[in-house]
Amino acid sequence: MGEDREDARLTFRRWGSRIKAKLASSLSSVSLSEAKLRGGLLLGDEILVTEALHTRRRCQQQNPADMSKGYQDDTLNGFETFALDYLLQGVYSHSLDSMFSKRRARNSVARRSELLKRLWKDPVYSQVLQQQLESVIFSILPAEDPQETQLQLMVPSSLHRVTTLGCAEILNALIEASHWHPWRVLPGYDSPERDDVCMPSTDLRRCRDYCLRFGYSGFVVVGGYAYFRRAVTNSLETRMCAELHLAPGPDALSARSTAAFLLGQTMEGKTALDLALSQGNVALVRALGRMGCD
């Protein structure tokens, strides 16, 4: 009963996001697909995000949304906001101080965590999210004391804002999702999803290049042909004489990102751990501790 009620709420908010996206596209320079993508990321709504990224499934006239594009109309101290910000925060930058927005962000954290991990499984989207994580939205100032090695930030990064919102779950999802792995070959397995695109599997290097170039998560080799899969789920199925090839994904947060997050300070001179301790969020403190030990 509770899940049905939650599904109903999400469906209602999805339609509200569609209407809001149309209004935003008519009143600003943001396209309909980009406005819809932003709403879907805030809600953690995979259906809405899929509509924005693959508009041909719903609207032939609209171009797909670009996850790598920053949003100029939602700025914080002059800095652009990107797709990763919305996934991690669940709120608009200009509404970070709103209690209502923070409550909605807490309510959507489970969906956003799952959506983050699913998007990170896609080779194309994972590269975009990794780039946004690496080019974190802050500037590092030189320390006044040459002996001082601690980083000082002009503005909180998206990761600092995750800490401010107290989302240990989304931080753990980010750490889990960002583990890279090389090409994996699983004999005797296939993905439940089916895709019509196929090519001869005589040249596996060509198949892998095609897989990465067109954003597939992998392909299965059966009977001399490679059948490409858009999204390979965790619930694989056994299949005789099949060989599933999984595309590579991210490995871990880089040393630069981790150091800037753990050592860097906000404009008030607070580190991420300071923010977590001030909230009394034990789960988040532990998550930060695991990051520092990795």
Side-chain angles (χ1 to χ4, degrees):
M1 183 67 71
E3 292 182 359
D4 293 340
R5 190 179 296 112
E6 177 61 25
D7 290 341
R9 288 199 194 101
L10 183 57
T11 302
F12 178 77
R13 289 171 183 165
R14 183 183 303 139
W15 282 106
S17 293
R18 290 188 181 121
I19 295 173
K20 188 175 182 180
K22 290 183 179 180
L23 291 175
S25 63
S26 62
L27 298 175
S28 67
S29 59
V30 178
S31 69
L32 175 59
S33 59
E34 288 169 354
K36 189 182 293 184
L37 173 64
R38 180 166 52 181
L41 294 173
L42 290 171
L43 290 175
D45 188 344
E46 185 180 2
I47 293 177
L48 200 56
V49 169
T50 303
E51 287 179 12
L53 295 174
H54 304 281
T55 54
R56 63 183 180 276
R57 300 181 182 180
R58 186 173 182 88
C59 178
Q60 294 286 351
Q61 292 78 20
Q62 191 67 36
N63 293 324
D66 183 3
M67 281 188 62
S68 62
K69 184 177 179 180
Y71 290 83
Q72 291 281 358
D73 65 327
D74 182 26
T75 56
L76 181 66
N77 295 339
F79 288 80
E80 288 182 301
T81 308
F82 290 85
L84 184 65
D85 289 86
Y86 297 119
L87 263 176
L88 297 182
Q89 298 168 196
V91 316
Y92 294 104
S93 293
H94 59 69
S95 61
L96 280 171
D97 296 328
S98 167
M99 293 305 298
F100 175 75
S101 296
K102 290 182 178 181
R103 184 166 62 251
R104 290 193 64 180
R106 285 193 294 269
N107 292 338
S108 66
V109 65
R111 294 192 301 271
R112 287 185 290 112
S113 298
E114 186 62 28
L115 179 59
L116 173 65
K117 289 185 283 188
R118 291 191 181 188
L119 287 174
W120 221 295
K121 287 179 182 178
D122 187 291
V124 173
Y125 300 141
S126 67
Q127 291 180 20
V128 172
L129 294 174
Q130 184 77 11
Q131 288 173 0
Q132 292 176 4
L133 185 63
E134 291 299 318
S135 57
V136 281
I137 309 175
F138 57 70
S139 299
I140 301 177
L141 298 176
E144 296 180 3
D145 183 358
Q147 302 299 321
E148 187 178 350
T149 58
Q150 192 175 41
L151 303 176
Q152 187 175 16
L153 312 184
M154 287 180 59
V155 296
S157 70
S158 57
L159 295 175
H160 276 96
R161 295 199 287 272
V162 171
T163 311
T164 304
L165 295 171
C167 299
E169 189 172 350
I170 197 74
L171 180 59
N172 287 326
L174 175 66
I175 297 171
E176 178 184 340
S178 59
H179 281 269
W180 275 94
H181 58 79
W183 276 98
R184 291 176 179 169
V185 180
L186 304 177
Y189 283 94
D190 193 4
S191 174
E193 185 194 16
R194 296 289 183 262
D195 214 294
D196 296 330
V197 180
C198 68
M199 65 169 57
S201 61
T202 50
D203 188 349
L204 284 179
R205 178 175 295 181
R206 178 169 173 264
C207 294
R208 290 185 172 185
D209 288 343
Y210 184 92
C211 180
L212 295 176
R213 186 179 303 115
F214 290 95
Y216 290 95
S217 296
F219 59 90
V220 62
V221 176
V222 180
Y225 282 87
Y227 298 86
F228 294 88
R229 304 291 187 248
R230 179 67 64 183
V232 178
T233 62
N234 290 329
S235 57
L236 302 179
E237 60 184 22
T238 57
R239 185 174 182 183
M240 294 292 293
C241 303
E243 192 175 69
L244 181 62
H245 294 246
L246 299 179
D251 192 347
L253 299 184
S254 71
R256 177 189 171 202
S257 292
T258 305
F261 185 34
L262 295 175
L263 302 178
Q265 298 177 1
T266 66
M267 292 180 67
E268 293 76 26
K270 293 184 177 181
T271 65
L273 187 59
D274 290 331
L275 296 173
L277 288 170
S278 65
Q279 300 173 35
N281 192 327
V282 178
L284 192 54
V285 171
R286 289 175 177 170
L288 290 170
R290 285 195 295 272
M291 285 185 67
C293 294
D294 286 343

